[in-house]
């Protein structure tokens, strides 16, 4: 088989990163950002955050290239030594498992609330996990194929839904731009991290990309597709619902799509399509994180990948059963939000510094 | 062994948990909320579609809907209570929500629409109307077998032809406005000569009904807030009536000026229009000056009307229904931040200058007499 080498192309890398970023964040993002800054300037925050993170990505890629990382776990081992590496690795795996179960949980909640009221959530979650396991037997190459297929579909459907909303948006609701000055925007910089979940994965995928020179463009394209979608979403949602209303609804993006009907084509209500495509995105995000959790366990314990896939089923499932209500679900995401900067920023920099010191001492 | 697998697959064909047969569902198209005779309770009327061909007697004229009325403390409780009478209620296709005036005088609007906003099925695009009569009467009006909810819903499309209807107020809009300045107008529905008509409007401030307006007020309000999409201006020139039809808005500019705490709002609008009717015997629309005069007369008429509604808003209702607060917020964010809570007072004391520029761009297929 041609895919036996388990390497992915840079285009596939972009699709995987986009798919892993587009998850629950997009449905709650207008609220989480607006809550923090209390004005309609969230899109500026998003653009700023996007630019900052993309600059940081470039830096990370330079660092990874310099050390010729092919396997991030081996790289961590080089830095931390055998036991500390296992500890750090486990934290990373726990984080991946956490995000995987959070996504599947959020999807379960959404499905329960909007689509299948009487179907037990457990069934929805379990079906999703089992489907994921089935997909993941094909490893990263299978995920790449799924993402490449789903991503354009999602973008087209979402943009179409947004296009049809033109009638209800009122641009006045986005003004005044920077009415309260620049300070609230600066304060809001850290908010909405949930929407950037997924970008940290490229560190772990670095070794699997075929052409190392194209990694940067792949990652950046994969990063900016969701960021642009986020900015569009934010602008439309706030322009339709107004700032105080956005702060008060649970799923602003869905509420936004529910506020208009389309006449003329044979479908009037479009939220169904948003929900369906978003289930696909939830599935992708979940599958990708699940894969990295299983992969991480394999690297740390040197056991079979398939065993890990199966071991993770009950773990992910019961982790998703811990939060008892909507507030606890959002707390869950907050906790993950605290680990996220560590994985994206702290870990690679610390690893780089230690390896750099060790290598220079060895050669010098 | 292979056969066994096939048998195991049978449960997968059973489809989903949540399946319902459509004839066992009650599709709600409209809801009405009245005050109940019991104290502290509200009365809910649900208009439910009856699928055709369900009647037993073929000859009898069959109603396309049935109404279910129940009374309870909260709206959701009432919906659940209605299940004692009818099948599972499905509000996904609800088109209108009628609220009786008496209810809004007592209970905040925010509380009344709370359930519908929270609910996962009711869409935010559902329209809200106000009624003087009990909503039960309005929803129960058997008008040649038409479904009252649909009749009301479809009337909203006439907003392009007349300016005496307020632009449709969706549940989402209502909720957003209640969250921000909480002051807006809501279209009324009445029964006249056994027909449903859109008439009058209610003024909501801080979630409560503070006054009612008539059709002329609505037209003037539409002129003020720039929502005129069509309709007629009638005026008199040379002692004869004539009418000008609005074609399109060409511009609208709202500027606000602050002088200390005193606010001045200048509204400038421009429309293209058509001279659509003229009773004057010596009409000569081919002459430019004739049209100019007509324009001026029509402009004066509109400005006069608007002045009147502004006076009413400032002194009678004491609230800025027209959504002008947005411009103050956008143009003077700091001032707004400080005085948000005093907006009604500031609006009532503000100077509002309204200037309309009508251009008659055509006069139909006849332009002169003799």
């Amino acid at each position: 088989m041609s895919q036996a080498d388990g390497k992915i192309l840079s285009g596939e890398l972009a699709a995987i990163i986009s798919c892993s970023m587009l998850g629950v964040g997009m449905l709650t993002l207008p609220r989480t950002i607006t809550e923090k800054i209390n004005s309609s300037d969230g899109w500026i925050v998003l653009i700023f955050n996007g630019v900052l993170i993309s600059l940081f990505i470039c830096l990370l890629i330079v660092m990874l290239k310099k050390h010729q990382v092919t396997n991030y776990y081996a790289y961590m081992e080089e830095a931390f030594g055998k036991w500390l590496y296992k500890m750090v690795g486990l934290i990373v795996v726990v984080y991946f498992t956490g995000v995987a179960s959070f996504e599947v949980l959020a999807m379960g909640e959404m499905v329960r609330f909007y689509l299948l009221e009487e179907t037990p959530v457990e069934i929805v979650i379990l079906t999703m996990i089992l489907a994921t396991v089935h997909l993941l037997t094909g490893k990263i190459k299978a995920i790449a194929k799924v993402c490449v297929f789903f991503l354009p579909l999602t973008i087209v459907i979402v943009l179409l839904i947004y296009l049809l909303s033109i009638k209800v948006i009122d641009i006045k609701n986005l003004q005044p731009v920077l009415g309260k000055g620049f300070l609230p925007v600066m304060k809001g910089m850290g908010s909405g991290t949930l929407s950037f979940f997924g970008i940290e994965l490229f560190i772990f995928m670095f070794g699997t990309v075929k052409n190392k020179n194209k990694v940067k463009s792949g990652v950046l394209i994969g990063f900016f597709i969701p960021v642009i979608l986020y900015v569009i979403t934010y602008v439309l949602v706030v322009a339709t619902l107004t700032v105080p209303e956005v702060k008060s609804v649970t799923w602003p993006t869905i509420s936004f799509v529910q506020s208009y009907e389309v006449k003329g084509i044979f479908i009037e209500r479009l939220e169904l399509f948003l929900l369906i495509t978003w289930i696909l995105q939830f599935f992708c995000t979940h599958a990708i994180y699940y894969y990295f959790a299983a992969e991480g366990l394999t690297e740390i314990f040197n056991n079979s990948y398939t065993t890990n896939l199966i071991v993770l089923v009950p773990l992910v499932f019961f982790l998703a059963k811990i939060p008892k209500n909507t507030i606890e679900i959002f707390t869950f995401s907050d906790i993950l939000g605290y680990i996220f900067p560590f994985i994206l920023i702290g870990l690679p920099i610390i690893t780089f510094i230690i390896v750099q010191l060790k290598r220079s001492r060895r050669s010098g | 062994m292979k056969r066994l697998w096939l048998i195991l697959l049978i449960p997968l064909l059973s489809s989903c948990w949540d399946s319902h047969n459509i004839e066992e569902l009650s599709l709600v198209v409209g809801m009405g909320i009245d005050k109940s005779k019991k104290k502290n309770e509200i009365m809910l009327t649900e208009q439910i579609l009856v699928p055709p061909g369900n009647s037993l007697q073929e000859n009898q004229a069959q109603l396309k809907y049935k109404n279910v009325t129940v009374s309870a403390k909260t709206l959701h409780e009432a919906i659940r209570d209605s299940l004692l009478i009818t099948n599972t209620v499905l509000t996904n296709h609800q088109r209108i929500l009628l609220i009786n005036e008496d209810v809004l005088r007592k209970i905040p609007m925010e509380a009344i629409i709370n359930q519908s906003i929270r609910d996962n099925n009711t869409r935010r695009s559902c329209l809200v109307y106000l009624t003087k009569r009990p909503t039960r009467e309005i929803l129960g009006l058997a008008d040649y077998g038409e479904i009252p909810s649909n009749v009301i819903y479809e009337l909203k499309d006439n907003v392009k032809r007349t300016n005496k209807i307020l632009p449709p107020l969706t549940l989402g809009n209502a909720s957003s406005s209640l969250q921000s300045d909480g002051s807006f107008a809501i279209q009324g529905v009445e029964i006249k000569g056994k027909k449903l008509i859109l008439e009058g409007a209610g003024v909501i401030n801080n979630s409560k009904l503070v006054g009612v307006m008539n059709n002329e007020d609505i037209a003037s309000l539409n002129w003020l807030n720039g929502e005129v999409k069509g309709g007629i201006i009638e005026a008199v020139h040379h002692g004869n009536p004539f009418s000008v039809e609005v074609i399109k808005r060409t511009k609208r500019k709202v500027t606000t000026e602050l002088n200390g705490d005193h606010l001045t709002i200048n509204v400038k609008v421009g429309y293209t229009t058509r001279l659509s009717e003229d009773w004057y015997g010596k009409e000569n629309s081919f002459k430019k000056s004739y049209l100019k005069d007509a324009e001026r007369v029509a402009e004066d008429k509109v400005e006069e009307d608007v002045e009147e509604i502004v006076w009413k808003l400032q002194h009678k209702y004491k609230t800025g229904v027209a959504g002008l607060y947005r411009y103050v917020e956008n143009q003077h964010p700091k001032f707004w931040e400080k005085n948000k809570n005093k907006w009604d007072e500031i609006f009532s004391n503000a100077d509002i200058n309204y200037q309309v520029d009508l251009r008659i761009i055509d006069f139909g297929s006849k332009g002169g007499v003799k």
Side-chain angles (χ1 to χ4, degrees), chain A residues 94-110 112 120-130 282 286 290 311-330 332-333 336:
Chain A
V94 167
Y95 165 76
F96 287 159
T97 320
V99 180
S101 59
F102 171 70
E103 288 292 332
V104 83
L105 164 70
M107 186 221 56
E109 277 306 302
M110 196 190 78
R112 183 180 64 83
V121 174
E122 290 81 2
I123 297 287
V124 178
I125 293 181
L126 206 60
T127 328
M128 189 62 90
I129 297 178
L130 293 178
F282 274 123
H286 170 66
Y290 199 111
V311 167
L312 279 174
V313 174
L315 278 181
V316 171
F317 181 75
F318 285 112
L319 206 55
K321 288 308 295 169
I322 292 175
K324 293 281 179 294
N325 53 37
T326 320
I327 300 170
E328 284 181 24
I329 293 173
F330 289 126
F332 193 172
S333 80
L336 293 173

Side-chain angles (χ1 to χ4, degrees), chain A residues 91-360:
Chain A
I91 294 175
V92 174
V93 167
V94 167
Y95 165 76
F96 287 159
T97 320
V99 180
S101 59
F102 171 70
E103 288 292 332
V104 83
L105 164 70
M107 186 221 56
E109 277 306 302
M110 196 190 78
V111 168
R112 183 180 64 83
F113 189 67
Y114 283 105
L115 296 170
L116 308 170
E117 270 176 53
E118 278 156 41
T119 311
V121 174
E122 290 81 2
I123 297 287
V124 178
I125 293 181
L126 206 60
T127 328
M128 189 62 90
I129 297 178
L130 293 178
T132 306
V133 170
H134 177 62
L135 170 74
L136 290 187
T137 48
K139 291 204 172 180
I140 189 96
K141 200 69 190 171
I143 300 178
K145 293 251 148 89
V146 167
C147 290
V148 168
F149 180 66
F150 281 167
L151 184 66
L153 201 71
T154 312
I155 295 175
V156 168
I157 291 179
V158 168
L159 288 185
L160 199 69
I161 292 173
Y162 284 176
L163 197 70
L164 294 167
S165 76
I166 294 286
K167 220 171 56 185
V168 290
I169 62 170
D170 182 1
I171 217 76
K172 275 207 295 294
N173 291 333
L174 277 175
Q175 291 164 330
V177 176
L178 291 176
K180 288 175 189 160
F182 218 71
L183 206 67
V185 175
M186 294 303 280
K187 259 191 237 159
M189 287 302 258
S191 65
T193 37
L194 181 64
S195 357
F196 293 103
F197 272 31
I199 185 62
E200 76 278 15
L201 294 175
F202 90 90
I203 308 171
F204 297 88
M205 275 187 280
F206 188 77
T208 55
V209 183
K210 240 180 205 159
N211 188 345
K212 292 280 182 296
N213 293 324
K214 281 188 183 161
V215 171
K216 193 150 94 188
S217 60
V219 175
L220 286 182
I221 290 171
F223 177 68
F224 274 109
I225 290 174
V227 171
I228 291 167
L229 273 182
Y230 289 159
V231 173
I232 299 175
T233 309
Y234 185 89
V235 166
L236 293 180
V237 172
V238 174
T240 308
L241 298 183
T242 73
V243 171
E245 180 77 354
V246 163
K247 284 195 286 184
S248 73
V249 289
T250 321
W251 305 93
T253 310
I254 300 178
S255 289
F256 153 68
V257 179
Q258 278 191 334
S259 29
Y260 60 93
E261 275 165 19
V262 185
K263 291 276 163 62
I265 50 176
F266 57 96
I267 302 147
E268 279 192 0
R269 285 131 210 262
L270 296 166
E271 68 265 25
L272 194 65
F273 293 88
L274 182 75
L275 292 176
I276 290 170
T277 42
W278 234 252
I279 288 175
L280 292 182
Q281 283 308 322
F282 274 123
F283 174 69
C284 285
T285 313
H286 170 66
I288 294 164
Y289 274 98
Y290 199 111
Y291 167 75
F292 282 102
E295 174 82 5
L297 283 180
T298 318
E299 293 286 344
I300 294 168
F301 296 115
N302 271 327
N303 56 355
S304 127
Y305 170 73
T306 324
T307 320
N308 288 332
L309 277 185
I310 294 164
V311 167
L312 279 174
V313 174
L315 278 181
V316 171
F317 181 75
F318 285 112
L319 206 55
K321 288 308 295 169
I322 292 175
K324 293 281 179 294
N325 53 37
T326 320
I327 300 170
E328 284 181 24
I329 293 173
F330 289 126
T331 322
F332 193 172
S333 80
D334 286 344
I335 295 171
L336 293 173
Y338 293 129
I339 316 179
F340 169 73
F342 166 72
I343 308 274
L344 176 66
I345 304 170
L347 182 67
I349 289 183
I350 295 170
T351 321
F352 176 81
I353 294 171
I354 296 177
V355 171
Q356 182 70 26
L357 286 176
K358 278 190 177 172
R359 283 190 188 173
S360 61

Side-chain angles (χ1 to χ4, degrees), chain B residues 186-241:
Chain B
I186 169 172
Q187 177 68 49
V189 180
E190 253 297 348
I191 300 178
K192 239 188 199 165
K194 293 194 174 176
K195 283 270 188 197
L196 287 169
I197 64 164
L198 296 179
E199 193 185 70
V203 179
I204 306 281
N205 189 21
N206 292 329
S207 251
K208 287 274 171 64
L209 186 72
V210 292
V212 285
M213 297 198 281
N214 60 24
N215 279 353
E216 272 63 44
D217 291 340
I218 294 180
S220 316
L221 183 64
N222 278 338
W223 278 107
L224 177 62
N225 61 18
E227 293 289 355
V228 172
K229 295 207 173 70
I232 302 292
I233 309 159
E234 21 169 52
V236 178
H237 67 171
H238 310 290
N240 285 297

Side-chain angles (χ1 to χ4, degrees), chain B residues 301-313:
Chain B
K301 171 82 170 71
V302 172
E303 277 166 18
E304 214 171 276
D305 287 351
V306 169
E307 219 162 89
E308 201 176 312
I309 190 72
V310 165
W311 189 88
K312 270 189 186 166
L313 290 179

Side-chain angles (χ1 to χ4, degrees), chain A residues 33 36-37 44-50 52-53 182-193 196:
Chain A
I33 295 183
K36 265 263 175 58
I37 63 170
I44 304 178
V45 174
L46 274 173
I47 293 174
F48 262 146
N49 274 344
L52 276 187
I53 294 181
F182 218 71
L183 206 67
V185 175
M186 294 303 280
K187 259 191 237 159
M189 287 302 258
S191 65
T193 37
F196 293 103

Side-chain angles (χ1 to χ4, degrees), chain A residues 112-120 123 170 172-176 178-180 240-245 248-249 254-261 263 268-271, chain B residues 16-18 20 92-95 117-126 153 156-157 170 172-173 175-177 179-180 252 323 326-327 329-331 333-334 337 340:
Chain A
R112 183 180 64 83
F113 189 67
Y114 283 105
L115 296 170
L116 308 170
E117 270 176 53
E118 278 156 41
T119 311
I123 297 287
D170 182 1
K172 275 207 295 294
N173 291 333
L174 277 175
Q175 291 164 330
L178 291 176
K180 288 175 189 160
T240 308
L241 298 183
T242 73
V243 171
E245 180 77 354
S248 73
V249 289
I254 300 178
S255 289
F256 153 68
V257 179
Q258 278 191 334
S259 29
Y260 60 93
E261 275 165 19
K263 291 276 163 62
E268 279 192 0
R269 285 131 210 262
L270 296 166
E271 68 265 25
Chain B
C16 81
W17 237 278
D18 291 72
H20 279 291
N92 287 27
H93 298 269
Q94 187 187 337
R95 295 178 120 180
I117 290 284
R118 235 167 239 257
D119 188 35
N120 51 353
N121 287 326
T122 318
R123 304 192 82 246
R124 293 172 68 92
S125 58
C126 160
Y153 183 80
K156 78 165 194 316
D157 294 335
T170 64
N173 287 347
S175 173
S176 299
S177 310
Q179 289 284 342
S180 35
R252 177 162 192 261
R326 270 264 163 243
Y327 296 94
E329 185 184 359
N330 292 347
Q331 294 171 11
K334 285 207 182 92
E337 202 53 41
K340 240 191 324 213

